[in-house]
Structures are given as C-alpha cells and as structure tokens.
Amino acid sequence: AFIERQRSRFDNGEGLSLAISSSMTSTAIGLIVLTLRPQNGVAGVGYWVVPSQRGQGHAPRAVRLVTQWALSYADLSRVEAWVEPDNSASQHVLTSAGYEHEGTLRSFLSFPTRRADAMVFSFVAAP
C-alpha cells in the first residue's frame, strides 16, 4: 500500500515521490517527496533516510537536487518544508540544502493525538 501510494502521487497530480539512493551502491536508502500545495507554483518537500545512512549528507543532497529540479523544470516558484521545532536534524538538512527559516506556525500540524508547531523553511526561485 505504501509503494502504491507513492506511485499514485504523480498519476493523481499530487506531486512526486522518489527513492533516495546511495551513490556508492545504488541501493535505496530513503524517500523524498514533492507535494503540490494549493497555492499556484508552490510545493512542499518531505524526506526520510534509513537510520544507518543518516548523517552522511544523503538527505541534504537529495533535497538540493529535487529543489533545483522543481524550480528549473517543474514550473514551481517556491519549495517549502514544515518541521517540528524539536526536529533539529531536519532543520539541519534544510539549512544545509540552502533553505531559509521563515518563521513558526503555532499549533499548525495535526496528528491523531496532538497538535504541534511547524517551523517553515523555504527555497524560492531567483526573480
């Protein structure tokens, strides 16, 4: 079901899911997703890397590559990410990829048992 959900994003016009692979082995080690937002020309980016491959630069590299593609070829003007304030690893990934922290949306994220603030990071196409 997970794989089918990822594959269907493109067919449904929701966005794009791609595997993150190791450049050394071509083995899938994570996932990166671009999801179209309701605002024209805006997408959100999300990603994860398996624990054994974290801290090796895979996530920032994947975020940079997908962001460059989105702004150059997918007719997008802005790519953004929403990160919980205590997720310093994701904040580091985004700033390493050139994203800027814009602010915090209070009680923005909704989970089954709680709400959480979201720090907003973005990368905007050059004018």
mmCIF file of all heavy atoms in Angstrom, residues 86-112:
data_model
loop_
_atom_site.group_PDB
_atom_site.id
_atom_site.type_symbol
_atom_site.label_atom_id
_atom_site.label_comp_id
_atom_site.label_asym_id
_atom_site.label_seq_id
_atom_site.Cartn_x
_atom_site.Cartn_y
_atom_site.Cartn_z
ATOM 1 N N ASP A 86 11.431 20.661 17.587
ATOM 2 C CA ASP A 86 12.425 19.806 18.228
ATOM 3 C C ASP A 86 13.144 18.878 17.239
ATOM 4 O O ASP A 86 13.990 18.083 17.631
ATOM 5 C CB ASP A 86 11.809 19.000 19.369
ATOM 6 C CG ASP A 86 10.717 18.042 18.908
ATOM 7 O OD1 ASP A 86 10.297 18.126 17.738
ATOM 8 O OD2 ASP A 86 10.288 17.214 19.727
ATOM 9 N N ASN A 87 12.850 18.995 15.947
ATOM 10 C CA ASN A 87 13.492 18.147 14.940
ATOM 11 C C ASN A 87 14.713 18.868 14.364
ATOM 12 O O ASN A 87 14.711 19.350 13.229
ATOM 13 C CB ASN A 87 12.492 17.779 13.841
ATOM 14 C CG ASN A 87 13.023 16.725 12.908
ATOM 15 O OD1 ASN A 87 14.217 16.477 12.841
ATOM 16 N ND2 ASN A 87 12.123 16.108 12.164
ATOM 17 N N SER A 88 15.754 18.937 15.167
ATOM 18 C CA SER A 88 16.965 19.667 14.750
ATOM 19 C C SER A 88 17.656 19.007 13.562
ATOM 20 O O SER A 88 18.281 19.690 12.747
ATOM 21 C CB SER A 88 17.934 19.821 15.920
ATOM 22 O OG SER A 88 18.295 18.556 16.431
ATOM 23 N N ALA A 89 17.533 17.688 13.418
ATOM 24 C CA ALA A 89 18.163 17.014 12.277
ATOM 25 C C ALA A 89 17.550 17.494 10.962
ATOM 26 O O ALA A 89 18.274 17.808 10.008
ATOM 27 C CB ALA A 89 18.024 15.501 12.417
ATOM 28 N N SER A 90 16.227 17.581 10.884
ATOM 29 C CA SER A 90 15.589 18.071 9.659
ATOM 30 C C SER A 90 15.892 19.538 9.419
ATOM 31 O O SER A 90 16.064 19.967 8.280
ATOM 32 C CB SER A 90 14.076 17.852 9.708
ATOM 33 O OG SER A 90 13.762 16.531 9.324
ATOM 34 N N GLN A 91 15.957 20.311 10.478
ATOM 35 C CA GLN A 91 16.324 21.723 10.322
ATOM 36 C C GLN A 91 17.722 21.834 9.725
ATOM 37 O O GLN A 91 17.960 22.657 8.830
ATOM 38 C CB GLN A 91 16.259 22.434 11.669
ATOM 39 C CG GLN A 91 14.861 22.515 12.225
ATOM 40 C CD GLN A 91 14.830 22.971 13.660
ATOM 41 O OE1 GLN A 91 15.600 23.850 14.058
ATOM 42 N NE2 GLN A 91 13.961 22.386 14.461
ATOM 43 N N HIS A 92 18.627 20.996 10.174
ATOM 44 C CA HIS A 92 19.992 20.992 9.645
ATOM 45 C C HIS A 92 20.015 20.577 8.174
ATOM 46 O O HIS A 92 20.736 21.164 7.364
ATOM 47 C CB HIS A 92 20.893 20.081 10.479
ATOM 48 C CG HIS A 92 22.280 19.989 9.966
ATOM 49 N ND1 HIS A 92 23.183 21.021 10.100
ATOM 50 C CD2 HIS A 92 22.921 19.006 9.286
ATOM 51 C CE1 HIS A 92 24.322 20.669 9.513
ATOM 52 N NE2 HIS A 92 24.186 19.451 9.018
ATOM 53 N N VAL A 93 19.241 19.553 7.822
ATOM 54 C CA VAL A 93 19.149 19.116 6.425
ATOM 55 C C VAL A 93 18.731 20.294 5.551
ATOM 56 O O VAL A 93 19.341 20.572 4.515
ATOM 57 C CB VAL A 93 18.152 17.946 6.267
ATOM 58 C CG1 VAL A 93 17.773 17.730 4.806
ATOM 59 C CG2 VAL A 93 18.723 16.671 6.869
ATOM 60 N N LEU A 94 17.684 20.981 5.951
ATOM 61 C CA LEU A 94 17.143 22.070 5.131
ATOM 62 C C LEU A 94 18.103 23.247 5.014
ATOM 63 O O LEU A 94 18.315 23.771 3.917
ATOM 64 C CB LEU A 94 15.789 22.517 5.680
ATOM 65 C CG LEU A 94 14.696 21.455 5.544
ATOM 66 C CD1 LEU A 94 13.509 21.789 6.418
ATOM 67 C CD2 LEU A 94 14.283 21.290 4.091
ATOM 68 N N THR A 95 18.702 23.653 6.114
ATOM 69 C CA THR A 95 19.646 24.775 6.019
ATOM 70 C C THR A 95 20.891 24.377 5.233
ATOM 71 O O THR A 95 21.437 25.188 4.488
ATOM 72 C CB THR A 95 20.021 25.331 7.412
ATOM 73 O OG1 THR A 95 20.550 24.283 8.220
ATOM 74 C CG2 THR A 95 18.812 25.957 8.095
ATOM 75 N N SER A 96 21.300 23.124 5.343
ATOM 76 C CA SER A 96 22.439 22.640 4.549
ATOM 77 C C SER A 96 22.116 22.651 3.061
ATOM 78 O O SER A 96 23.007 22.792 2.224
ATOM 79 C CB SER A 96 22.825 21.216 4.963
ATOM 80 O OG SER A 96 23.307 21.195 6.279
ATOM 81 N N ALA A 97 20.834 22.493 2.727
ATOM 82 C CA ALA A 97 20.401 22.490 1.335
ATOM 83 C C ALA A 97 20.093 23.904 0.829
ATOM 84 O O ALA A 97 19.623 24.059 -0.293
ATOM 85 C CB ALA A 97 19.186 21.595 1.168
ATOM 86 N N GLY A 98 20.319 24.916 1.660
ATOM 87 C CA GLY A 98 20.117 26.293 1.231
ATOM 88 C C GLY A 98 18.765 26.891 1.554
ATOM 89 O O GLY A 98 18.443 27.997 1.113
ATOM 90 N N TYR A 99 17.959 26.186 2.323
ATOM 91 C CA TYR A 99 16.645 26.706 2.714
ATOM 92 C C TYR A 99 16.799 27.746 3.814
ATOM 93 O O TYR A 99 17.730 27.689 4.615
ATOM 94 C CB TYR A 99 15.755 25.570 3.214
ATOM 95 C CG TYR A 99 15.098 24.777 2.109
ATOM 96 C CD1 TYR A 99 15.851 24.083 1.179
ATOM 97 C CD2 TYR A 99 13.717 24.727 1.999
ATOM 98 C CE1 TYR A 99 15.246 23.351 0.163
ATOM 99 C CE2 TYR A 99 13.100 24.005 0.992
ATOM 100 C CZ TYR A 99 13.874 23.322 0.076
ATOM 101 O OH TYR A 99 13.272 22.617 -0.924
ATOM 102 N N GLU A 100 15.858 28.687 3.852
ATOM 103 C CA GLU A 100 15.839 29.713 4.890
ATOM 104 C C GLU A 100 14.670 29.489 5.830
ATOM 105 O O GLU A 100 13.574 29.130 5.382
ATOM 106 C CB GLU A 100 15.714 31.098 4.260
ATOM 107 C CG GLU A 100 16.924 31.493 3.448
ATOM 108 C CD GLU A 100 16.831 32.921 2.946
ATOM 109 O OE1 GLU A 100 16.197 33.765 3.621
ATOM 110 O OE2 GLU A 100 17.383 33.176 1.870
ATOM 111 N N HIS A 101 14.911 29.709 7.112
ATOM 112 C CA HIS A 101 13.832 29.625 8.099
ATOM 113 C C HIS A 101 13.036 30.918 8.031
ATOM 114 O O HIS A 101 13.590 31.999 8.161
ATOM 115 C CB HIS A 101 14.424 29.417 9.501
ATOM 116 C CG HIS A 101 13.394 29.422 10.574
ATOM 117 N ND1 HIS A 101 13.501 30.197 11.699
ATOM 118 C CD2 HIS A 101 12.226 28.750 10.691
ATOM 119 C CE1 HIS A 101 12.452 29.990 12.473
ATOM 120 N NE2 HIS A 101 11.665 29.125 11.878
ATOM 121 N N GLU A 102 11.741 30.801 7.810
ATOM 122 C CA GLU A 102 10.888 31.985 7.667
ATOM 123 C C GLU A 102 10.124 32.334 8.936
ATOM 124 O O GLU A 102 9.766 33.479 9.137
ATOM 125 C CB GLU A 102 9.863 31.766 6.552
ATOM 126 C CG GLU A 102 10.478 31.655 5.194
ATOM 127 C CD GLU A 102 9.427 31.516 4.104
ATOM 128 O OE1 GLU A 102 8.278 31.105 4.404
ATOM 129 O OE2 GLU A 102 9.763 31.803 2.955
ATOM 130 N N GLY A 103 9.814 31.350 9.747
ATOM 131 C CA GLY A 103 9.030 31.610 10.940
ATOM 132 C C GLY A 103 8.407 30.333 11.455
ATOM 133 O O GLY A 103 8.686 29.240 10.956
ATOM 134 N N THR A 104 7.558 30.471 12.444
ATOM 135 C CA THR A 104 6.907 29.320 13.069
ATOM 136 C C THR A 104 5.397 29.519 13.070
ATOM 137 O O THR A 104 4.901 30.587 13.435
ATOM 138 C CB THR A 104 7.412 29.134 14.514
ATOM 139 O OG1 THR A 104 8.828 28.954 14.473
ATOM 140 C CG2 THR A 104 6.768 27.936 15.182
ATOM 141 N N LEU A 105 4.693 28.499 12.634
ATOM 142 C CA LEU A 105 3.234 28.494 12.661
ATOM 143 C C LEU A 105 2.799 27.731 13.913
ATOM 144 O O LEU A 105 3.091 26.537 14.056
ATOM 145 C CB LEU A 105 2.681 27.808 11.411
ATOM 146 C CG LEU A 105 3.100 28.447 10.088
ATOM 147 C CD1 LEU A 105 2.680 27.552 8.919
ATOM 148 C CD2 LEU A 105 2.501 29.825 9.947
ATOM 149 N N ARG A 106 2.132 28.423 14.808
ATOM 150 C CA ARG A 106 1.755 27.812 16.080
ATOM 151 C C ARG A 106 0.582 26.844 15.909
ATOM 152 O O ARG A 106 -0.370 27.134 15.215
ATOM 153 C CB ARG A 106 1.411 28.905 17.080
ATOM 154 C CG ARG A 106 2.648 29.744 17.400
ATOM 155 C CD ARG A 106 2.383 30.914 18.321
ATOM 156 N NE ARG A 106 1.602 30.523 19.463
ATOM 157 C CZ ARG A 106 0.602 31.269 19.944
ATOM 158 N NH1 ARG A 106 0.279 32.406 19.406
ATOM 159 N NH2 ARG A 106 -0.074 30.838 20.985
ATOM 160 N N SER A 107 0.704 25.681 16.521
ATOM 161 C CA SER A 107 -0.331 24.645 16.529
ATOM 162 C C SER A 107 -0.827 24.332 15.114
ATOM 163 O O SER A 107 -2.005 24.135 14.877
ATOM 164 C CB SER A 107 -1.502 25.073 17.417
ATOM 165 O OG SER A 107 -2.366 23.993 17.650
ATOM 166 N N PHE A 108 0.099 24.263 14.164
ATOM 167 C CA PHE A 108 -0.228 24.117 12.746
ATOM 168 C C PHE A 108 -0.383 22.662 12.313
ATOM 169 O O PHE A 108 -1.248 22.331 11.516
ATOM 170 C CB PHE A 108 0.858 24.803 11.915
ATOM 171 C CG PHE A 108 0.603 24.780 10.440
ATOM 172 C CD1 PHE A 108 -0.329 25.631 9.879
ATOM 173 C CD2 PHE A 108 1.303 23.925 9.611
ATOM 174 C CE1 PHE A 108 -0.575 25.626 8.518
ATOM 175 C CE2 PHE A 108 1.074 23.906 8.250
ATOM 176 C CZ PHE A 108 0.127 24.760 7.695
ATOM 177 N N LEU A 109 0.473 21.798 12.825
ATOM 178 C CA LEU A 109 0.453 20.389 12.425
ATOM 179 C C LEU A 109 -0.555 19.620 13.275
ATOM 180 O O LEU A 109 -0.632 19.817 14.485
ATOM 181 C CB LEU A 109 1.845 19.776 12.570
ATOM 182 C CG LEU A 109 2.947 20.445 11.752
ATOM 183 C CD1 LEU A 109 4.311 19.884 12.132
ATOM 184 C CD2 LEU A 109 2.688 20.287 10.275
ATOM 185 N N SER A 110 -1.287 18.729 12.625
ATOM 186 C CA SER A 110 -2.297 17.949 13.324
ATOM 187 C C SER A 110 -1.961 16.465 13.221
ATOM 188 O O SER A 110 -1.797 15.931 12.124
ATOM 189 C CB SER A 110 -3.668 18.217 12.688
ATOM 190 O OG SER A 110 -4.654 17.442 13.311
ATOM 191 N N PHE A 111 -1.862 15.840 14.375
ATOM 192 C CA PHE A 111 -1.605 14.408 14.474
ATOM 193 C C PHE A 111 -2.797 13.759 15.181
ATOM 194 O O PHE A 111 -3.588 14.462 15.811
ATOM 195 C CB PHE A 111 -0.306 14.156 15.244
ATOM 196 C CG PHE A 111 0.901 14.758 14.586
ATOM 197 C CD1 PHE A 111 1.408 15.981 15.020
ATOM 198 C CD2 PHE A 111 1.521 14.128 13.521
ATOM 199 C CE1 PHE A 111 2.516 16.548 14.402
ATOM 200 C CE2 PHE A 111 2.629 14.684 12.896
ATOM 201 C CZ PHE A 111 3.131 15.902 13.341
ATOM 202 N N PRO A 112 -2.933 12.445 15.115
ATOM 203 C CA PRO A 112 -4.105 11.811 15.743
ATOM 204 C C PRO A 112 -4.282 12.143 17.224
ATOM 205 O O PRO A 112 -5.412 12.252 17.697
ATOM 206 C CB PRO A 112 -3.845 10.312 15.546
ATOM 207 C CG PRO A 112 -3.023 10.249 14.301
ATOM 208 C CD PRO A 112 -2.137 11.472 14.360
#
